[in-house]
Amino acid sequence: SHYELEFACLIPRSKSEELSTEPYVSYKGTDYKKTVRLRVPWQPIKSIKRFWHWICFVWSHSRSRKCRRICYLLLLTIFLTSFLITCVILPLVFKHSREYCKYVVFNPTTATHELFDKPVKMEISYDVTKYYKPTNTYVTVNETENIKLGVWSLNPLSVKSPYLIYFHGRSGDRRSYIVDYSKLASFFHIFTFDYRGYGDSTLTELNEEGLVNDSKQFVKWVISQTNVSVFIWGDTLGASIAARTVAELHKENIFPCGLMMENSFKTMENQLSHSWLIAKITSYLPWYKTTIIDPLEENDLSFNISKYISEIDSPINFWEWNSDTARGKDNNFNLINQESQTFVAVYYYSKRDGVLSSRGEDFIRSFIGIGTDYCKTRKVKH
């Protein structure tokens, strides 16, 4: 219940220096004198009580009135300023500024064409790492507006495999997801592309309808290049775009063999409530719907997976990081499962160095088999 901390500088005692009452420390035949000492007596319970009594005395003393007023005023000013900026001003900016709304939802990286012609490092497995130069090409998905998407084709193992179209997340460009391509390169010939406004694709308006229309045309282009099975993988925001893309392709009797959704979210509002501090704080306030939810719908940025999941006939599975369990619970996969009749499973995994565990590899092989069998039952082109 009582001890003392001492911090001290030590200096060697000279031989001519007489002994004094000052304590010394002897180490390897040399006496050291303690100087610049700082002793901190510490009695946890008594010290806390004494500190509290001291605060109460000083704070209640008649001479500290001015100090109290200044402190109260300063704290109140800080609190009100923080509240106004966080809970009023920024939500209002989000509501009335389309550009700020897109800034919160999207985080693209843009680059020149030349930067996408360089080799990339791929970790195919635990013991196989290689540098591989993707085939870089550009696909026109909207001739009216002359919108072209930058595309990589990756087949580092040079074997005939099912095709996988990779929809990346909200940040970066197709160079930013090499780790994710690597973990899938053992199973698929990968096609990955940058959305409009990302990478070296055409810079134009970013909204859900435009992204889905571009993606739909790109998927059609990939399907036209091959007779093998075509699967789709979507990561976070890419999972939302992929889900609506597959749902709309089904209306045209085009059926990808399977949809894999990594760290997906039900709606953009659900995603922001976990990833954006302003949405977290204002979600408890009465004007949250008016300032956050409604602008997402008005600007065509709602990305509502649950609205399209019931329209998908292809097999679906979900991948969820173990480290993201909080969002995984709120995603309410049980509801999604009820809406989708072709749901396969949720696989929880740890993302480490882009390499899958043997269980994860078995999970992918099993899903490829399910998707291939599904496509064989279809009489239409897939």
Side-chain angles (χ1 to χ4, degrees), residues 282-337:
T282 56
S283 60
Y284 303 99
L285 299 176
W287 54 83
Y288 176 68
K289 182 179 185 302
T290 304
T291 57
I292 303 296
I293 300 178
D294 292 347
L296 290 173
E297 297 177 355
E298 293 167 3
N299 295 317
D300 192 21
L301 298 172
S302 57
F303 293 100
N304 191 342
I305 288 182
S306 58
K307 182 178 179 181
Y308 300 104
I309 203 80
S310 61
E311 302 175 8
I312 297 177
D313 186 54
S314 301
I316 303 171
N317 71 16
F318 296 91
W319 289 67
E320 188 71 22
W321 295 8
N322 287 335
S323 60
D324 212 4
T325 54
R327 188 179 65 181
K329 293 177 182 177
D330 286 342
N331 276 345
N332 196 351
F333 282 118
N334 292 330
L335 176 61
I336 295 180
N337 299 350

Side-chain angles (χ1 to χ4, degrees), residues 124-125 156-157 159 161 181-188 190 361 365:
I124 308 302
S125 63
L157 300 182
V159 295
S161 306
Y181 308 152
S182 298
K183 71 183 180 186
L184 300 171
S186 300
F187 309 96
F188 301 101
I190 301 168
E361 292 177 351
R365 292 190 184 96

Side-chain angles (χ1 to χ4, degrees), residues 349-360:
Y349 72 101
S350 297
K351 189 171 185 177
R352 185 185 65 185
D353 301 327
V355 180
L356 287 173
S357 65
S358 58
R359 181 169 172 262

Side-chain angles (χ1 to χ4, degrees), residues 149 151-152 154 162-168 181 184 188-195 214-226 229-235 238-239 242 245-246 249 254 256-261 382:
L149 305 183
V151 180
W152 269 357
L154 302 96
Y163 278 19
L164 177 72
I165 303 174
Y166 191 93
F167 288 65
H168 65 66
Y181 308 152
L184 300 171
F188 301 101
H189 181 143
I190 301 168
F191 283 86
T192 182
F193 66 103
D194 279 323
Y195 314 119
D214 295 346
S215 302
K216 187 167 59 173
Q217 296 304 318
F218 175 69
V219 173
K220 290 181 180 179
W221 178 83
V222 173
I223 290 176
S224 68
Q225 307 296 308
T226 182
S229 302
V230 175
F231 292 83
I232 291 179
W233 185 294
D235 182 2
T245 298
V246 173
L249 285 172
I254 299 175
C257 294
L259 171 63
M260 289 166 276
M261 304 170 71
H382 58 270

